[in-house]
Amino acid sequence: MGSLSSRVLRHPGRARAHQEPGSGAGGSTRRPETGGDAAGHGFCYCPGNRKRKRSSGAFCYCHPDSETDEDEEEGDEQQRLLNTPRRKKLKSTSKYIYQTLFLNGENSDIKICALGEEWNLHKIYLCQSGYFSSMFSGSWKESSMNIIELEIPDQNIDIEALQVAFGSLYRDDVLIKPSRVIAILAAACMLQLDGLIQQCGETMKETINVKTVCGYYTSAGTYGLDSVKKKCLEWLLNNLMTHQNVELFKELSINVMKQLIGSSNLFVMQVEMDVYTALKKWMFLQLVPSWNGSLKQLLTETDVWFSKRRKGIPEIFIENFYHSHFFASLLSKKLIEKFAQYCWRWTGFNFGFDLLVTYTNRYIIFKRNTLNQPCSGSVSLQPRRSIAFRLRLASFDSSGKLICSRTTGYQILTLEKDQEQVVMNLDSRLLIFPLYICCNFLYISPEKRTENNRHPENPEN
């Protein structure tokens, strides 16, 4: 038989085996006997430690302190591992249902046919749709049929939109591309899927821009999404004059344009004449939709075209605009520097009311100018003058979406000679530059005003 060999397990940093307790003063190392249970099972008995560790068929002597430390460290490590969460993405029930039941059509009990396509679906899932719930629960002949042919009267609905609509019944979330949202909305409305309709509406409100606003506005009216329609109209009121666009002018319908130019909320960067100019550009593009050119070329082309057809222009078309009570006037196109100072002046405004508007140190100030900066023949010297106005400030992102806004609301301000008044104090933390500013002033024709029919809110002029 070969000899039995043994290994001495050394603690790191220690070059020799330690003495066994009770080995005597000479310090000699005492080897254990090779027989018995320990040798047969390859266990190692470590003095000072009750734990038994299996060795590779050999005995070892370990230092009591080092072994205890190692055990404690091992226990701490195990405890740490037990309390450390492990992330592993499991296949969710929703994905399994969508793949197995919807995409694969397993255990289908009804077939839906539409637009030349077939879907193997399940009545229990289809009943989430108000359309199918009514069909299956009533006395309709389709309630007992296994194959149903759907008529699709809405031209906005296509196969892809139906795929998304049917699939939404089998999953928790649906990703909707803005380019597909109108078709999906049409399908959701036909199938009466309230959740999908709401998600389409939220997608539309978040993605309004110059390319989508007209389509969204029309679709919102068709499918009853009043909140989307309102958002689109707000976007148009803010951007029609501030971010003019040739394609947008082409897409705007007569009814929408009428609402915009007739609204006192139209955000005008220049004077009322610029609204007339914008209206003229829009009319030209409606009459000549094939015109292709840049925005810089548009006004010149418009003037040339109308000059040749002056007699045929329906003046009544824009006459009502000038009967509007509120005209917008220029304050500033942009405030480039946060701490810069700006001043604008309307000489002889409001039949002799010389108005100075100043932006300085985050304040906007109105001042009635009479004597300090005289302007002969255009300034009223009445002791007190009143003015009705509304001042608005706004910042937009690159898509024209409103980032922040402030307004004074409609106010009446009475000023004495050379008196100035702060009309708005701006919080610098809320300002985002460039800052667009618009102001509306109340216009009252003296020829048509009488003491008997004067509106109580109308100011003295």
Side-chain angles (χ1 to χ4, degrees):
M1 296 180 62
S3 61
L4 180 64
S5 63
S6 65
R7 294 180 181 179
V8 178
L9 301 182
R10 301 179 183 275
H11 190 278
R14 300 180 185 268
R16 60 184 179 83
H18 289 276
Q19 197 175 34
E20 182 184 2
S23 61
S28 62
T29 302
R30 183 180 156 194
R31 295 181 177 273
E33 296 181 2
T34 59
D37 185 280
H41 294 83
F43 286 98
C44 167
Y45 288 89
C46 298
N49 192 343
R50 294 174 181 264
K51 294 185 180 180
R52 303 167 70 188
K53 284 190 173 183
R54 183 175 296 276
S55 68
S56 57
F59 295 101
C60 70
Y61 286 88
C62 302
H63 190 275
D65 294 337
S66 64
E67 183 66 22
T68 302
D69 292 343
E70 288 178 359
D71 287 343
E72 290 178 354
E73 291 176 1
E74 182 179 355
D76 292 341
E77 178 66 16
Q78 290 176 351
Q79 188 68 23
R80 185 184 68 80
L81 292 174
L82 288 174
N83 290 283
T84 302
R86 291 287 185 268
R87 293 185 179 181
K88 186 175 181 181
K89 192 173 182 179
L90 302 176
K91 188 174 182 179
S92 68
T93 302
S94 175
K95 290 183 178 179
Y96 176 81
I97 290 173
Y98 181 77
Q99 179 66 46
T100 306
L101 299 185
F102 178 65
L103 296 181
N104 299 342
E106 294 186 15
N107 300 320
S108 170
D109 57 1
I110 190 169
K111 181 180 289 186
I112 305 297
C113 305
L115 301 176
E117 189 69 22
E118 296 179 350
W119 287 268
N120 295 313
L121 303 176
H122 308 78
K123 286 187 177 181
I124 192 170
Y125 284 95
L126 288 177
C127 283
Q128 298 174 85
S129 158
Y131 179 86
F132 287 109
S133 179
S134 299
M135 177 186 293
F136 297 150
S137 62
S139 58
W140 303 95
K141 64 178 182 178
E142 289 87 355
S143 61
S144 59
M145 295 172 61
N146 295 327
I147 300 177
I148 295 178
E149 292 278 350
L150 286 184
E151 293 184 5
I152 309 296
D154 193 337
Q155 295 182 352
N156 285 328
I157 302 175
D158 55 21
I159 293 175
E160 185 180 347
L162 288 175
Q163 177 79 1
V164 174
F166 289 140
S168 69
L169 301 172
Y170 292 79
R171 64 195 313 179
D172 295 330
D173 56 350
V174 180
L175 296 178
I176 301 176
K177 297 179 181 178
S179 60
R180 298 292 307 154
V181 68
I182 293 177
I184 295 172
L185 174 62
C189 288
M190 189 195 82
L191 300 177
Q192 301 173 33
L193 302 174
D194 294 339
L196 188 57
I197 292 172
Q198 182 179 0
Q199 187 172 349
C200 286
E202 293 302 317
T203 300
M204 293 167 78
K205 285 189 282 188
E206 292 171 1
T207 56
I208 296 174
N209 56 51
V210 68
K211 294 183 178 180
T212 63
V213 63
C214 291
Y216 285 178
Y217 182 87
T218 301
S219 299
T222 301
Y223 301 111
L225 296 183
D226 292 338
S227 61
V228 175
K229 190 175 180 179
K230 181 180 178 181
K231 280 285 184 181
C232 290
L233 191 61
E234 289 177 355
W235 189 96
L236 287 168
L237 288 169
N238 287 330
N239 288 272
L240 179 67
M241 299 298 298
T242 58
H243 302 85
Q244 293 188 26
N245 182 276
V246 173
E247 294 302 319
L248 179 60
F249 279 144
K250 288 183 178 182
E251 289 189 62
L252 286 173
S253 67
I254 294 176
N255 290 333
V256 174
M257 195 64 173
K258 184 178 178 181
Q259 288 187 68
L260 295 176
I261 64 171
S263 174
S264 61
N265 291 322
L266 181 63
F267 205 101
V268 181
M269 296 307 304
Q270 306 294 334
V271 294
E272 61 271 15
M273 189 63 185
D274 293 282
V275 181
Y276 164 79
T277 302
L279 189 61
K280 187 166 61 172
K281 295 175 186 176
W282 169 81
M283 186 186 297
F284 166 71
L285 292 173
Q286 295 296 306
L287 296 172
V288 191
S290 60
W291 184 84
N292 288 313
S294 67
L295 185 63
K296 292 182 179 180
Q297 299 169 328
L298 180 55
L299 182 58
T300 301
E301 294 287 334
T302 298
D303 289 338
V304 171
W305 192 89
F306 276 113
S307 65
K308 296 178 181 179
R309 298 163 178 81
R310 185 171 300 173
K311 293 182 179 180
I313 300 175
E315 295 181 3
I316 191 66
F317 190 80
I318 57 175
E319 182 179 350
N320 289 335
F321 168 71
Y322 287 101
H323 291 167
S324 174
H325 290 294
F326 284 89
F327 282 174
S329 298
L330 170 67
L331 279 185
S332 173
K333 187 173 183 180
K334 293 180 181 180
L335 295 180
I336 304 299
E337 302 293 339
K338 293 184 179 182
F339 301 105
Q341 186 172 6
Y342 299 86
C343 184
W344 306 270
R345 181 180 184 183
W346 284 268
T347 302
F349 171 76
N350 203 16
F351 302 100
F353 195 148
D354 194 17
L355 184 65
L356 297 178
V357 180
T358 304
Y359 169 79
T360 180
N361 196 25
R362 301 193 305 274
Y363 290 98
I364 295 182
I365 302 170
F366 282 5
K367 179 180 179 180
R368 180 192 172 191
N369 177 52
T370 54
L371 302 176
N372 292 345
Q373 300 181 34
C375 184
S376 60
S378 64
V379 177
S380 170
L381 297 179
Q382 294 183 16
R384 303 178 67 193
R385 294 296 303 268
S386 298
I387 184 172
F389 71 96
R390 180 186 59 180
L391 183 69
R392 290 181 290 162
L393 293 85
S395 295
F396 307 96
D397 64 12
S398 58
S399 67
K401 184 178 180 180
L402 189 66
I403 301 175
C404 67
S405 63
R406 288 282 307 277
T407 180
T408 60
Y410 292 109
Q411 294 187 23
I412 297 178
L413 182 64
T414 301
L415 297 173
E416 297 181 357
K417 294 179 180 180
D418 294 313
Q419 181 182 354
E420 62 180 32
Q421 179 70 44
V422 174
V423 295
M424 184 177 286
N425 181 7
L426 307 179
D427 187 343
S428 60
R429 296 172 298 177
L430 302 178
L431 296 181
I432 300 177
F433 290 80
L435 189 64
Y436 292 81
I437 306 178
C438 172
C439 196
N440 299 95
F441 297 104
L442 185 60
Y443 172 90
I444 302 175
S445 174
E447 293 82 12
K448 297 182 179 179
R449 184 183 61 181
T450 64
E451 293 295 329
N452 294 331
N453 62 9
R454 184 181 300 174
H455 194 280
E457 292 185 358
N458 289 348
E460 291 289 340
N461 286 291

